Amino acid sequence: MSTITLIGTGNMARAIGTLAVAGGNTVEVMGRDQSKADDLARALGSGTIAGKWGAVPAGHIVITALLADGVVPVVAEYGDALAGKVIVDISNPFNATFDGLAHGEETSIAREVAKVAPAGASVVKAFNTIFRDVLEQRRPGVFIAGDDAQAKAGVAAFIESLGLRPLDVGGLRMAHWLEGMGLVTVSLAGNGVGHWDFALGVDEFTG
């Protein structure tokens, strides 16, 4: 099992943390508001600890469970504290009208994180195409992208410990398209599907 740190104390941190604890992983929570981090650690239980903001995370896998505009600044703020860690970005940078991405070029939050991450850190995009309620109640596939094969393997093993299926889409350049898939998921919820209780996945047809 993995040792993970969740930076963030919101709904996605709670959902991933709950599954992580149930899967036998060791969990640490960090939040800018220490009282919220303490409360979430207590709620998750099973030895979950609340770390101090900005300190070296206990987890080898560090999940930035933050809004898109906060991810890069926080990674930059942590700086060398993240050296050697696997940083997992789960965010979606939607524009104000939810019909496009906030960045106009072919980049991603994950690729921008890689620019400010310290030496030895690896960046993986994951979990951004899944609604929180689905993550809490269902077993969707989790698309992942990253350039470091070993880092992706570690994240994939962590995902499997949650009872979920990791689906590797390739290098970190593909994180841009995963953010696009996140946008498509939201658009489907408001249009063709008409509700939030679904997830994109892969059906395999053989024989």
Side-chain angles (χ1 to χ4, degrees):
M1 299 297 105
S2 301
T3 299
I4 71 157
T5 294
L6 293 158
I7 298 180
T9 57
N11 290 332
M12 283 298 286
R14 183 178 294 271
I16 293 173
T18 298
L19 290 176
V21 166
N25 300 281
T26 301
V27 179
E28 176 187 46
V29 177
M30 288 179 162
R32 200 179 291 276
D33 184 329
Q34 189 63 46
S35 65
K36 290 183 179 180
D38 293 339
D39 288 346
L40 180 54
R42 281 192 293 269
L44 295 177
S46 298
T48 299
I49 61 173
K52 300 300 181 184
W53 183 264
V56 176
H60 176 61
I61 296 174
V62 178
I63 300 173
T64 55
L66 303 163
L67 296 177
D69 60 359
V71 178
V72 173
V74 165
V75 171
E77 180 181 346
Y78 267 73
D80 288 342
L82 297 174
K85 304 294 185 180
V86 177
I87 304 168
V88 180
D89 164 43
I90 69 171
S91 68
N92 280 310
F94 300 150
N95 65 16
T97 52
F98 287 83
D99 59 0
L101 298 177
H103 46 68
E105 57 186 281
E106 191 176 318
T107 186
S108 64
I109 299 299
R111 291 182 73 185
E112 297 306 307
V113 165
K115 293 178 182 179
V116 301
S122 300
V123 180
V124 175
K125 187 82 176 185
F127 292 102
N128 73 295
T129 64
I130 305 170
F131 298 125
R132 184 252 304 173
D133 288 348
V134 172
L135 188 60
E136 290 176 336
Q137 301 174 27
R138 309 290 186 224
R139 290 296 177 264
V142 181
F143 297 101
I144 62 176
D147 290 336
D148 185 325
Q150 185 174 357
K152 280 199 294 187
V155 173
F158 168 66
I159 290 169
E160 288 175 342
S161 79
L162 309 184
L164 309 178
R165 180 190 181 192
L167 295 163
D168 185 352
V169 303
L172 198 60
R173 186 179 182 87
M174 293 300 295
H176 172 78
W177 305 106
L178 286 185
E179 291 177 355
M181 287 175 63
L183 182 63
V184 168
T185 305
V186 170
S187 295
L188 282 169
N191 294 281
V193 176
H195 60 81
W196 302 86
D197 191 19
F198 74 98
L200 302 183
V202 174
D203 290 328
E204 297 184 57
F205 304 103
T206 60

